[in-house]
Amino acid sequence: MNEMIQVTHAAQETAPRAAPALPDAQTVTQVTHWTDRLFSFRVTRPVSLRFRSGEFVMIGLMGDPDPVTGKQKPLLRAYSIASPSWDDELEFYSIKVPDGPLTSKLQHIQPGDQVILRPKPVGTLVHDALLPGKRLWLFATGTGFAPFASLLRDPQTYQDYDEVIVTHTCRTVGELTYGAQLIEDVRGDEMLEELIGDNFAAKLRYYPTTTREQSSKMGRITDLMRSGEVYEDLGVPPLAPETDRAMICGNMAFNLELKALLEEYGLREGANSAPREYVVEKAFLD
C-alpha cells in the first residue's frame, strides 16, 4: 500500500539547537512523511546563505566507516530548496529509496538530528534564466515539484507573469498530496495577497495527473499536451514562444521528452548566462 497517513514530527519550540558536529551541519526542525515513498523536512538556515528561489544545494549525511581505514566520507546529493528565498528555514522534499546510499539513511532523520549542507546554491530553474513572458508553465513529476514549491511562494513569480500553470504528474493520488497542500496554502497566503493584490490567487492554475491510480485526471502530461486535452481543460492556447515560458523538473526520461516537445513548439532552452523561453533542471533525477 503506497498511501499513508501524513505524519509530521517537529522540534519543540523550547528545545535547544544542537551544537554542530558534522561539517557544514544544520539541525533538522521538522519531518513530514507524506507516503511510504515521500517525505519532506526542514532544517535551520545558515545565516550567510543567500539563494534565488528555484536553486539547489548539496546536502547529506556521513557514510558508513570504511571497513579497512575506519574513515567516514560524506554522502552528498543535489536537493532543490523547496522553501522560498525569504524563509528563515530551508525545506526539502525527498523520495525514499530503500537501498539508496543516502535516502536509505536520510528518511530516518528526526527533529534535532543534523545534516550536512554545503551552502553554495546553484541551478537553472530561476527567473533570471527566462525572458519576460505572459504565462509561466511549471512541469513536474514526483519530487521534481520541490523547486516549484520555492518559486510558487516567491512574490516575483506573480509579479512577472499574468498566469502561472503548475502541472504535477505522479503514479498515485497520495503522491500528489505535498503539492496539492502547498497550492492550497499559497492561494490562502495573506502576505502574497498583500504584496500582489486580491486577484493573485486567480493567476495560479493547478493541473495534477496520475498514471497508475484512478483520479479525476489520468495520463502523462506530455500525452495530454499532444492530444490538446490539457489546453482544452485549462482554456488556454498551446504554448507559443511569444507568450509562454516554462520550467521542467522530473525524472530524466520526462525531462528529455518535454524538452523535445517544447522545442517543437518553438521554445528555446535558456540558462543564467543566456535567458530564453524554457529551462530544465539538469541536476535533478527523480
Side-chain angles (χ1 to χ4, degrees), residues 1 6-7 49 54 56 58 61 72 74 78 106 108-109 178 188 195 202 217 232 235 269 285-286:
M1 178 152 178
Q6 177 187 334
V7 178
L49 177 62
F56 66 86
M58 302 297 291
L61 299 168
Q72 291 179 279
L106 194 62
H108 299 298
I109 58 174
Y178 173 84
L195 289 172
K217 179 58 63 174
E232 183 178 348
E269 183 174 359
L285 291 178
D286 188 29

Side-chain angles (χ1 to χ4, degrees), residues 48-107:
S48 60
L49 177 62
R50 297 291 182 271
F51 69 94
R52 295 174 296 175
S53 295
E55 289 188 313
F56 66 86
V57 291
M58 302 297 291
I59 65 172
L61 299 168
M62 294 302 292
D64 295 328
D66 184 279
V68 177
T69 65
K71 294 183 178 180
Q72 291 179 279
K73 293 182 179 180
L75 288 170
L76 300 173
R77 296 290 186 273
Y79 268 75
S80 293
I81 303 173
S83 47
S85 58
W86 50 261
D87 202 324
D88 291 336
E89 295 184 335
L90 301 177
E91 181 178 322
F92 300 96
Y93 185 42
S94 177
I95 193 170
K96 304 175 186 179
V97 181
D99 57 351
L102 177 59
T103 59
S104 61
K105 301 175 183 294
L106 194 62
Q107 64 183 289

Side-chain angles (χ1 to χ4, degrees), residues 5-12 26-35 37-44 59 61 79 89-96 103 105-115 178 181:
I5 297 175
Q6 177 187 334
V7 178
T8 300
H9 303 285
Q12 297 294 324
Q26 296 301 318
T27 303
V28 177
T29 61
Q30 180 177 306
V31 181
T32 301
H33 294 274
W34 299 91
T35 74
R37 296 182 67 249
L38 300 168
F39 72 108
S40 63
F41 58 98
R42 296 177 66 86
V43 304
T44 53
I59 65 172
L61 299 168
Y79 268 75
E89 295 184 335
L90 301 177
E91 181 178 322
F92 300 96
Y93 185 42
S94 177
I95 193 170
K96 304 175 186 179
T103 59
K105 301 175 183 294
L106 194 62
Q107 64 183 289
H108 299 298
I109 58 174
Q110 298 290 331
D113 291 345
Q114 295 175 351
V115 298
Y178 173 84
Q181 182 167 315

Side-chain angles (χ1 to χ4, degrees), residues 1-277:
M1 178 152 178
N2 186 66
E3 190 169 353
M4 297 174 62
I5 297 175
Q6 177 187 334
V7 178
T8 300
H9 303 285
Q12 297 294 324
E13 294 183 1
T14 56
R17 175 173 172 172
L22 299 175
D24 298 315
Q26 296 301 318
T27 303
V28 177
T29 61
Q30 180 177 306
V31 181
T32 301
H33 294 274
W34 299 91
T35 74
D36 59 355
R37 296 182 67 249
L38 300 168
F39 72 108
S40 63
F41 58 98
R42 296 177 66 86
V43 304
T44 53
R45 176 175 178 170
V47 176
S48 60
L49 177 62
R50 297 291 182 271
F51 69 94
R52 295 174 296 175
S53 295
E55 289 188 313
F56 66 86
V57 291
M58 302 297 291
I59 65 172
L61 299 168
M62 294 302 292
D64 295 328
D66 184 279
V68 177
T69 65
K71 294 183 178 180
Q72 291 179 279
K73 293 182 179 180
L75 288 170
L76 300 173
R77 296 290 186 273
Y79 268 75
S80 293
I81 303 173
S83 47
S85 58
W86 50 261
D87 202 324
D88 291 336
E89 295 184 335
L90 301 177
E91 181 178 322
F92 300 96
Y93 185 42
S94 177
I95 193 170
K96 304 175 186 179
V97 181
D99 57 351
L102 177 59
T103 59
S104 61
K105 301 175 183 294
L106 194 62
Q107 64 183 289
H108 299 298
I109 58 174
Q110 298 290 331
D113 291 345
Q114 295 175 351
V115 298
I116 302 169
L117 188 150
R118 296 288 167 80
K120 296 180 180 179
V122 292
T124 55
L125 298 184
V126 293
H127 290 301
D128 294 340
L130 292 177
L131 294 171
K134 176 182 178 181
R135 184 181 299 109
L136 176 64
W137 292 79
L138 303 176
F139 295 103
T141 60
T143 52
F145 191 90
F148 303 148
S150 175
L151 287 158
L152 288 170
R153 290 181 276 189
D154 190 321
Q156 184 180 347
T157 301
Y158 307 97
Q159 293 168 341
D160 288 357
Y161 297 95
D162 296 335
E163 194 170 20
V164 180
I165 300 175
V166 188
T167 81
H168 192 197
T169 301
C170 293
R171 302 183 313 165
T172 68
V173 174
E175 292 175 352
L176 292 168
T177 306
Y178 173 84
Q181 182 167 315
L182 186 134
I183 293 289
E184 183 179 350
D185 291 343
V186 168
R187 285 173 170 161
D189 192 304
E190 294 181 356
M191 183 197 74
L192 285 173
E193 183 177 338
E194 182 176 346
L195 289 172
I196 310 303
D198 295 340
N199 66 336
F200 100 90
K203 292 186 173 187
L204 179 56
R205 313 286 299 280
Y206 178 49
Y207 195 81
T209 73
T210 58
T211 57
R212 296 190 184 180
E213 184 180 9
Q214 188 66 39
S215 68
S216 57
K217 179 58 63 174
M218 299 283 296
R220 299 163 69 246
I221 189 63
T222 47
D223 292 338
L224 296 169
M225 292 169 70
R226 290 190 182 94
S227 70
E229 188 172 343
V230 61
Y231 307 118
E232 183 178 348
D233 289 342
L234 294 171
V236 298
L239 281 82
E242 296 79 17
T243 55
D244 294 276
R245 303 295 175 259
M247 295 184 176
I248 307 169
C249 193
N251 60 64
M252 184 60 72
F254 172 79
N255 290 356
L256 293 175
E257 184 178 6
L258 248 178
K259 274 170 54 73
L261 188 55
L262 294 185
E263 296 279 348
E264 292 177 13
Y265 284 114
L267 278 67
R268 301 166 298 168
E269 183 174 359
N272 282 276
S273 59
R276 294 291 187 268
E277 290 82 30

